[in-house]
Amino acid sequence: MKGRNLLTLAEFSKEEIIKILDLADKFKKQRKNNISKKILSDKTLAMIFHKPSTRTRVSFDVAMNDLGGNSITLNSNEIQLSRGETIEDTAKSFSRYVDVIMARVYNHRDVDNLAKYASIPVINGLSDIYHPTQVLADLQTIREKKGKLEGLKLTWIGDGNNVCNTLLIGCSRMGINMQVASPSNYKPNREAYEIAKKSAEKNRSRIEVINDPKEAIKDADIVVTDTFISMGSDSERKERLKAFLPEYQVNIKLMNRAKKNAIFMHCLPSHRGEEVTEGVIDGAKSIVWDEAENRLHSQKALLAFLLLDEDSF
Ligand code: CP
Ligand code: NVA
């Protein structure tokens, strides 16, 4: 995987994703035992943020630090991009200084262009369409909690957004059946759905997008939601809340329709009282803090695979 980009998650095969998850588990164990191997000692990550971030920013920074490397965090208003320098020139300049770029952007095209013009790996740290580093952590967390991936049912309730689109790709690839319940105007992205559909056929998993949350949550092993108002959609707040509430809120009553041992996931940040109630996100079935922690371990694994030869770690 050395030298590759992570833009949508579709770049990686099932076998490659398993390798990343296995290494992520290994790094997690090592960290608990205070073992840290400085395998990225001469490497630097540059992070560009067009939007705010808590978890992505801190977990990537700590990931590089744990592995002995450096990271540079840049809000886009601090660099010449904000004064009209092109993505192309930015990518070419960064490629002369650092070893890998992580970018959080509004428009997915920006991260595609960074990857096109950079001569080093580019990681999408969230765009309007995809959030692949989140889904790597989610897959690690699901496997950790359920002991497997294949044959599980994941239900997404709410906005068919960037996290949902990437979960469609990740789940279909790993053999998880995924059902999405969202209002008609807030369905997942068409391109992501088509990629996932093909992947599902190959891996004998099922994906389906419907309207009814009560129907979708039946027999779910994993229930996932996210904000109704993603970064960049703030001006739509009123109409979005009207479209989603109350039907698409994950509350205890809805959660009780899933399997008895179902787990609840959310990439965070959450909005208690909107997409999820306190009773669910702070309740016994919620695994959101493990999910957040696994961003760190899975990103360490990702960085190792993108930056090093596999036989060197
Ligand atoms: N889940 C996630 O990406 O969180 P941040 O926006 O805090 O990075
Ligand atoms: N869907 C959310 C995810 C935040 C991590 C957003 O794009 O704002």
Side-chain angles (χ1 to χ4, degrees):
M1 289 174 251
K2 189 177 172 189
R4 306 242 305 264
N5 303 308
L6 174 67
L7 304 177
T8 68
L9 195 61
E11 301 84 1
F12 291 98
S13 67
K14 181 177 182 177
E15 292 68 31
E16 287 169 334
I17 293 173
I18 290 172
K19 277 188 178 182
I20 297 172
L21 303 186
D22 289 346
L23 184 63
D25 287 348
K26 187 173 143 189
F27 281 149
K28 185 168 186 171
K29 261 194 218 124
Q30 286 182 347
R31 197 168 200 265
K32 303 268 176 253
N33 294 318
N34 292 318
I35 299 168
S36 69
K37 303 220 167 105
K38 307 295 183 196
I39 55 176
L40 297 184
S41 63
D42 53 353
K43 306 289 184 197
T44 301
L45 162 74
M47 298 193 269
I48 305 172
F49 286 97
H50 289 216
K51 299 173 179 175
S53 164
T54 297
R55 282 144 289 269
T56 305
R57 177 182 179 141
V58 177
S59 57
F60 265 107
D61 194 9
V62 175
M64 284 305 285
N65 195 53
D66 273 8
L67 295 175
N70 300 305
S71 73
I72 304 169
T73 304
L74 300 155
N75 293 325
S76 50
N77 63 358
E78 295 166 336
I79 54 178
Q80 300 288 8
L81 255 183
S82 63
R83 296 184 60 251
E85 188 169 22
T86 61
I87 291 271
E88 176 173 350
D89 291 359
T90 306
K92 287 178 176 169
S93 299
F94 272 60
S95 300
R96 298 295 176 108
Y97 304 125
V98 303
D99 302 282
V100 51
I101 301 171
M102 195 285 295
R104 169 166 285 196
V105 300
Y106 281 98
N107 191 329
H108 187 77
R109 221 176 312 131
D110 286 350
V111 87
D112 271 345
N113 277 330
L114 269 176
K116 181 171 169 196
Y117 295 111
S119 56
I120 53 176
V122 172
I123 299 169
N124 175 8
L126 182 148
S127 68
D128 54 344
I129 316 183
Y130 297 108
H131 194 4
T133 59
Q134 180 65 51
V135 171
L136 284 178
D138 290 357
L139 292 172
Q140 184 191 3
T141 314
I142 294 168
R143 197 175 71 159
E144 187 176 271
K145 299 290 172 192
K146 295 286 177 191
K148 62 173 188 176
L149 295 173
E150 269 174 19
L152 294 173
K153 176 180 175 184
L154 183 147
T155 297
W156 176 278
I157 311 269
D159 189 15
N161 66 11
N162 43 10
V163 179
C164 175
N165 294 331
T166 320
L167 271 171
L168 278 167
I169 294 175
C171 288
S172 59
R173 193 138 296 188
M174 304 315 287
I176 299 174
N177 303 310
M178 178 164 167
Q179 216 167 18
V180 176
S182 53
S184 300
N185 292 339
Y186 299 97
K187 296 286 177 216
N189 173 273
R190 178 70 18 215
E191 175 198 80
Y193 181 80
E194 294 302 334
I195 297 170
K197 200 80 199 161
K198 276 199 197 115
S199 189
E201 275 160 28
K202 199 174 148 204
N203 295 296
R204 275 177 268 133
S205 50
R206 290 187 304 279
I207 60 163
E208 196 184 8
V209 180
I210 62 173
N211 289 114
D212 184 2
K214 290 191 194 114
E215 179 63 31
I217 207 165
K218 264 191 222 155
D219 296 322
D221 297 288
I222 307 133
V223 178
V224 195
T225 190
D226 186 14
T227 181
F228 296 144
I229 304 141
S230 283
M231 291 178 277
S233 308
D234 295 295
S235 62
E236 299 166 21
R237 181 173 174 81
K238 227 169 137 187
E239 67 207 70
R240 281 180 167 264
L241 289 183
K242 198 167 154 216
F244 289 107
L245 287 173
E247 207 186 343
Y248 293 88
Q249 180 185 73
V250 181
N251 51 36
I252 288 181
K253 208 168 153 202
L254 185 60
M255 194 68 201
N256 282 343
R257 292 175 176 265
K259 274 192 187 159
K260 240 192 155 99
N261 63 349
I263 51 177
F264 172 77
M265 299 179 75
H266 190 309
C267 67
L268 307 176
S270 73
H271 307 79
R272 291 170 175 79
E274 291 183 13
E275 75 274 9
V276 63
T277 57
E278 238 176 70
V280 171
I281 196 163
D282 300 321
K285 295 181 174 181
S286 172
I287 56 155
V288 298
W289 304 115
D290 295 316
E291 182 183 4
E293 179 188 327
N294 285 339
R295 293 292 302 275
L296 170 62
H297 310 299
S298 54
Q299 285 161 194
K300 281 164 81 170
L302 173 71
L303 288 163
F305 277 111
L306 299 187
L307 291 172
L308 302 173
D309 290 317
E310 278 179 43
D311 53 15
S312 69
F313 57 86

PDB file of all heavy atoms in Angstrom, residues 271-293:
ATOM      1  N   HIS A 271     -25.099  15.728  18.774  1.00  0.00           N
ATOM      2  CA  HIS A 271     -25.995  16.801  19.207  1.00  0.00           C
ATOM      3  C   HIS A 271     -27.136  16.142  19.942  1.00  0.00           C
ATOM      4  O   HIS A 271     -28.132  15.728  19.324  1.00  0.00           O
ATOM      5  CB  HIS A 271     -26.467  17.613  17.989  1.00  0.00           C
ATOM      6  CG  HIS A 271     -25.309  18.088  17.169  1.00  0.00           C
ATOM      7  ND1 HIS A 271     -24.653  17.258  16.293  1.00  0.00           N
ATOM      8  CD2 HIS A 271     -24.645  19.268  17.176  1.00  0.00           C
ATOM      9  CE1 HIS A 271     -23.634  17.929  15.764  1.00  0.00           C
ATOM     10  NE2 HIS A 271     -23.608  19.138  16.287  1.00  0.00           N
ATOM     11  N   ARG A 272     -26.957  16.018  21.266  1.00  0.00           N
ATOM     12  CA  ARG A 272     -27.953  15.330  22.095  1.00  0.00           C
ATOM     13  C   ARG A 272     -29.282  16.067  21.997  1.00  0.00           C
ATOM     14  O   ARG A 272     -29.309  17.297  22.108  1.00  0.00           O
ATOM     15  CB  ARG A 272     -27.465  15.249  23.551  1.00  0.00           C
ATOM     16  CG  ARG A 272     -26.276  14.301  23.731  1.00  0.00           C
ATOM     17  CD  ARG A 272     -25.663  14.442  25.125  1.00  0.00           C
ATOM     18  NE  ARG A 272     -24.600  13.477  25.381  1.00  0.00           N
ATOM     19  CZ  ARG A 272     -23.351  13.591  24.930  1.00  0.00           C
ATOM     20  NH1 ARG A 272     -23.009  14.622  24.170  1.00  0.00           N
ATOM     21  NH2 ARG A 272     -22.441  12.665  25.231  1.00  0.00           N
ATOM     22  N   GLY A 273     -30.348  15.300  21.752  1.00  0.00           N
ATOM     23  CA  GLY A 273     -31.665  15.926  21.596  1.00  0.00           C
ATOM     24  C   GLY A 273     -32.010  16.160  20.138  1.00  0.00           C
ATOM     25  O   GLY A 273     -33.135  16.478  19.796  1.00  0.00           O
ATOM     26  N   GLU A 274     -31.037  16.016  19.247  1.00  0.00           N
ATOM     27  CA  GLU A 274     -31.328  16.092  17.800  1.00  0.00           C
ATOM     28  C   GLU A 274     -31.259  14.671  17.225  1.00  0.00           C
ATOM     29  O   GLU A 274     -32.205  13.918  17.352  1.00  0.00           O
ATOM     30  CB  GLU A 274     -30.373  17.058  17.101  1.00  0.00           C
ATOM     31  CG  GLU A 274     -30.658  18.498  17.529  1.00  0.00           C
ATOM     32  CD  GLU A 274     -29.809  19.543  16.832  1.00  0.00           C
ATOM     33  OE1 GLU A 274     -29.141  19.231  15.826  1.00  0.00           O
ATOM     34  OE2 GLU A 274     -29.832  20.701  17.290  1.00  0.00           O
ATOM     35  N   GLU A 275     -30.106  14.269  16.650  1.00  0.00           N
ATOM     36  CA  GLU A 275     -30.053  12.942  16.014  1.00  0.00           C
ATOM     37  C   GLU A 275     -30.047  11.792  17.016  1.00  0.00           C
ATOM     38  O   GLU A 275     -30.360  10.653  16.665  1.00  0.00           O
ATOM     39  CB  GLU A 275     -28.839  12.837  15.067  1.00  0.00           C
ATOM     40  CG  GLU A 275     -27.485  12.682  15.751  1.00  0.00           C
ATOM     41  CD  GLU A 275     -26.847  14.011  16.139  1.00  0.00           C
ATOM     42  OE1 GLU A 275     -27.529  15.032  16.029  1.00  0.00           O
ATOM     43  OE2 GLU A 275     -25.672  14.008  16.554  1.00  0.00           O
ATOM     44  N   VAL A 276     -29.702  12.075  18.269  1.00  0.00           N
ATOM     45  CA  VAL A 276     -29.623  11.011  19.284  1.00  0.00           C
ATOM     46  C   VAL A 276     -29.994  11.605  20.642  1.00  0.00           C
ATOM     47  O   VAL A 276     -29.753  12.791  20.896  1.00  0.00           O
ATOM     48  CB  VAL A 276     -28.206  10.397  19.311  1.00  0.00           C
ATOM     49  CG1 VAL A 276     -27.135  11.398  19.711  1.00  0.00           C
ATOM     50  CG2 VAL A 276     -28.136   9.156  20.211  1.00  0.00           C
ATOM     51  N   THR A 277     -30.567  10.751  21.497  1.00  0.00           N
ATOM     52  CA  THR A 277     -30.880  11.229  22.849  1.00  0.00           C
ATOM     53  C   THR A 277     -29.740  10.862  23.786  1.00  0.00           C
ATOM     54  O   THR A 277     -28.954   9.956  23.511  1.00  0.00           O
ATOM     55  CB  THR A 277     -32.177  10.593  23.378  1.00  0.00           C
ATOM     56  OG1 THR A 277     -32.022   9.168  23.349  1.00  0.00           O
ATOM     57  CG2 THR A 277     -33.381  11.006  22.555  1.00  0.00           C
ATOM     58  N   GLU A 278     -29.702  11.559  24.914  1.00  0.00           N
ATOM     59  CA  GLU A 278     -28.713  11.295  25.964  1.00  0.00           C
ATOM     60  C   GLU A 278     -28.786   9.841  26.401  1.00  0.00           C
ATOM     61  O   GLU A 278     -27.756   9.192  26.590  1.00  0.00           O
ATOM     62  CB  GLU A 278     -29.101  12.152  27.165  1.00  0.00           C
ATOM     63  CG  GLU A 278     -28.072  13.104  27.644  1.00  0.00           C
ATOM     64  CD  GLU A 278     -28.659  13.949  28.765  1.00  0.00           C
ATOM     65  OE1 GLU A 278     -28.898  13.422  29.872  1.00  0.00           O
ATOM     66  OE2 GLU A 278     -28.904  15.134  28.473  1.00  0.00           O
ATOM     67  N   GLY A 279     -30.007   9.339  26.552  1.00  0.00           N
ATOM     68  CA  GLY A 279     -30.209   7.968  27.019  1.00  0.00           C
ATOM     69  C   GLY A 279     -29.492   6.954  26.144  1.00  0.00           C
ATOM     70  O   GLY A 279     -29.006   5.932  26.627  1.00  0.00           O
ATOM     71  N   VAL A 280     -29.398   7.213  24.854  1.00  0.00           N
ATOM     72  CA  VAL A 280     -28.735   6.275  23.942  1.00  0.00           C
ATOM     73  C   VAL A 280     -27.229   6.533  23.907  1.00  0.00           C
ATOM     74  O   VAL A 280     -26.432   5.632  24.159  1.00  0.00           O
ATOM     75  CB  VAL A 280     -29.328   6.359  22.513  1.00  0.00           C
ATOM     76  CG1 VAL A 280     -28.500   5.550  21.528  1.00  0.00           C
ATOM     77  CG2 VAL A 280     -30.774   5.877  22.518  1.00  0.00           C
ATOM     78  N   ILE A 281     -26.821   7.742  23.643  1.00  0.00           N
ATOM     79  CA  ILE A 281     -25.372   7.983  23.445  1.00  0.00           C
ATOM     80  C   ILE A 281     -24.586   7.837  24.750  1.00  0.00           C
ATOM     81  O   ILE A 281     -23.417   7.442  24.741  1.00  0.00           O
ATOM     82  CB  ILE A 281     -25.090   9.337  22.747  1.00  0.00           C
ATOM     83  CG1 ILE A 281     -23.644   9.347  22.212  1.00  0.00           C
ATOM     84  CG2 ILE A 281     -25.349  10.526  23.655  1.00  0.00           C
ATOM     85  CD1 ILE A 281     -23.354  10.398  21.191  1.00  0.00           C
ATOM     86  N   ASP A 282     -25.249   8.111  25.868  1.00  0.00           N
ATOM     87  CA  ASP A 282     -24.557   7.942  27.159  1.00  0.00           C
ATOM     88  C   ASP A 282     -24.965   6.633  27.834  1.00  0.00           C
ATOM     89  O   ASP A 282     -24.632   6.402  29.006  1.00  0.00           O
ATOM     90  CB  ASP A 282     -24.860   9.143  28.077  1.00  0.00           C
ATOM     91  CG  ASP A 282     -24.395  10.451  27.446  1.00  0.00           C
ATOM     92  OD1 ASP A 282     -23.316  10.465  26.828  1.00  0.00           O
ATOM     93  OD2 ASP A 282     -25.138  11.457  27.533  1.00  0.00           O
ATOM     94  N   GLY A 283     -25.692   5.796  27.127  1.00  0.00           N
ATOM     95  CA  GLY A 283     -26.208   4.546  27.705  1.00  0.00           C
ATOM     96  C   GLY A 283     -25.266   3.365  27.502  1.00  0.00           C
ATOM     97  O   GLY A 283     -24.198   3.478  26.888  1.00  0.00           O
ATOM     98  N   ALA A 284     -25.709   2.204  28.000  1.00  0.00           N
ATOM     99  CA  ALA A 284     -24.852   1.007  28.052  1.00  0.00           C
ATOM    100  C   ALA A 284     -24.500   0.458  26.666  1.00  0.00           C
ATOM    101  O   ALA A 284     -23.488  -0.223  26.509  1.00  0.00           O
ATOM    102  CB  ALA A 284     -25.544  -0.069  28.877  1.00  0.00           C
ATOM    103  N   LYS A 285     -25.344   0.719  25.689  1.00  0.00           N
ATOM    104  CA  LYS A 285     -25.081   0.156  24.351  1.00  0.00           C
ATOM    105  C   LYS A 285     -24.133   1.016  23.516  1.00  0.00           C
ATOM    106  O   LYS A 285     -23.689   0.608  22.439  1.00  0.00           O
ATOM    107  CB  LYS A 285     -26.400  -0.017  23.593  1.00  0.00           C
ATOM    108  CG  LYS A 285     -27.292  -1.053  24.254  1.00  0.00           C
ATOM    109  CD  LYS A 285     -28.581  -1.258  23.518  1.00  0.00           C
ATOM    110  CE  LYS A 285     -29.338  -2.416  24.171  1.00  0.00           C
ATOM    111  NZ  LYS A 285     -30.583  -2.709  23.507  1.00  0.00           N
ATOM    112  N   SER A 286     -23.858   2.205  23.996  1.00  0.00           N
ATOM    113  CA  SER A 286     -23.035   3.132  23.216  1.00  0.00           C
ATOM    114  C   SER A 286     -21.558   2.785  23.347  1.00  0.00           C
ATOM    115  O   SER A 286     -21.051   2.565  24.448  1.00  0.00           O
ATOM    116  CB  SER A 286     -23.272   4.557  23.736  1.00  0.00           C
ATOM    117  OG  SER A 286     -22.356   5.441  23.135  1.00  0.00           O
ATOM    118  N   ILE A 287     -20.895   2.747  22.204  1.00  0.00           N
ATOM    119  CA  ILE A 287     -19.448   2.459  22.224  1.00  0.00           C
ATOM    120  C   ILE A 287     -18.675   3.620  21.579  1.00  0.00           C
ATOM    121  O   ILE A 287     -17.604   3.434  21.010  1.00  0.00           O
ATOM    122  CB  ILE A 287     -19.149   1.122  21.512  1.00  0.00           C
ATOM    123  CG1 ILE A 287     -19.702   1.130  20.076  1.00  0.00           C
ATOM    124  CG2 ILE A 287     -19.711  -0.050  22.280  1.00  0.00           C
ATOM    125  CD1 ILE A 287     -18.985   0.183  19.163  1.00  0.00           C
ATOM    126  N   VAL A 288     -19.243   4.809  21.688  1.00  0.00           N
ATOM    127  CA  VAL A 288     -18.683   5.945  20.943  1.00  0.00           C
ATOM    128  C   VAL A 288     -17.269   6.338  21.391  1.00  0.00           C
ATOM    129  O   VAL A 288     -16.491   6.864  20.592  1.00  0.00           O
ATOM    130  CB  VAL A 288     -19.603   7.194  20.955  1.00  0.00           C
ATOM    131  CG1 VAL A 288     -20.928   6.893  20.277  1.00  0.00           C
ATOM    132  CG2 VAL A 288     -19.828   7.717  22.362  1.00  0.00           C
ATOM    133  N   TRP A 289     -16.926   6.076  22.656  1.00  0.00           N
ATOM    134  CA  TRP A 289     -15.581   6.480  23.109  1.00  0.00           C
ATOM    135  C   TRP A 289     -14.519   5.514  22.611  1.00  0.00           C
ATOM    136  O   TRP A 289     -13.399   5.919  22.294  1.00  0.00           O
ATOM    137  CB  TRP A 289     -15.550   6.660  24.630  1.00  0.00           C
ATOM    138  CG  TRP A 289     -16.609   7.646  25.018  1.00  0.00           C
ATOM    139  CD1 TRP A 289     -17.716   7.423  25.771  1.00  0.00           C
ATOM    140  CD2 TRP A 289     -16.717   9.014  24.560  1.00  0.00           C
ATOM    141  NE1 TRP A 289     -18.502   8.554  25.823  1.00  0.00           N
ATOM    142  CE2 TRP A 289     -17.910   9.537  25.095  1.00  0.00           C
ATOM    143  CE3 TRP A 289     -15.924   9.840  23.757  1.00  0.00           C
ATOM    144  CZ2 TRP A 289     -18.335  10.854  24.854  1.00  0.00           C
ATOM    145  CZ3 TRP A 289     -16.346  11.144  23.520  1.00  0.00           C
ATOM    146  CH2 TRP A 289     -17.536  11.643  24.057  1.00  0.00           C
ATOM    147  N   ASP A 290     -14.884   4.228  22.531  1.00  0.00           N
ATOM    148  CA  ASP A 290     -13.945   3.266  21.915  1.00  0.00           C
ATOM    149  C   ASP A 290     -13.776   3.591  20.438  1.00  0.00           C
ATOM    150  O   ASP A 290     -12.686   3.489  19.879  1.00  0.00           O
ATOM    151  CB  ASP A 290     -14.478   1.831  22.075  1.00  0.00           C
ATOM    152  CG  ASP A 290     -14.532   1.422  23.542  1.00  0.00           C
ATOM    153  OD1 ASP A 290     -13.557   1.698  24.247  1.00  0.00           O
ATOM    154  OD2 ASP A 290     -15.555   0.866  23.969  1.00  0.00           O
ATOM    155  N   GLU A 291     -14.877   3.960  19.826  1.00  0.00           N
ATOM    156  CA  GLU A 291     -14.860   4.335  18.402  1.00  0.00           C
ATOM    157  C   GLU A 291     -13.927   5.532  18.198  1.00  0.00           C
ATOM    158  O   GLU A 291     -13.086   5.537  17.293  1.00  0.00           O
ATOM    159  CB  GLU A 291     -16.300   4.679  17.984  1.00  0.00           C
ATOM    160  CG  GLU A 291     -16.497   5.034  16.545  1.00  0.00           C
ATOM    161  CD  GLU A 291     -17.951   5.432  16.233  1.00  0.00           C
ATOM    162  OE1 GLU A 291     -18.783   5.506  17.171  1.00  0.00           O
ATOM    163  OE2 GLU A 291     -18.251   5.674  15.049  1.00  0.00           O
ATOM    164  N   ALA A 292     -14.050   6.528  19.062  1.00  0.00           N
ATOM    165  CA  ALA A 292     -13.175   7.713  18.946  1.00  0.00           C
ATOM    166  C   ALA A 292     -11.721   7.319  19.193  1.00  0.00           C
ATOM    167  O   ALA A 292     -10.820   7.748  18.460  1.00  0.00           O
ATOM    168  CB  ALA A 292     -13.619   8.787  19.944  1.00  0.00           C
ATOM    169  N   GLU A 293     -11.492   6.469  20.191  1.00  0.00           N
ATOM    170  CA  GLU A 293     -10.103   6.046  20.481  1.00  0.00           C
ATOM    171  C   GLU A 293      -9.491   5.335  19.283  1.00  0.00           C
ATOM    172  O   GLU A 293      -8.326   5.551  18.948  1.00  0.00           O
ATOM    173  CB  GLU A 293     -10.066   5.112  21.704  1.00  0.00           C
ATOM    174  CG  GLU A 293      -8.645   4.652  21.986  1.00  0.00           C
ATOM    175  CD  GLU A 293      -8.513   3.580  23.063  1.00  0.00           C
ATOM    176  OE1 GLU A 293      -9.305   3.568  24.015  1.00  0.00           O
ATOM    177  OE2 GLU A 293      -7.584   2.748  22.922  1.00  0.00           O
TER     178      GLU A 293
END
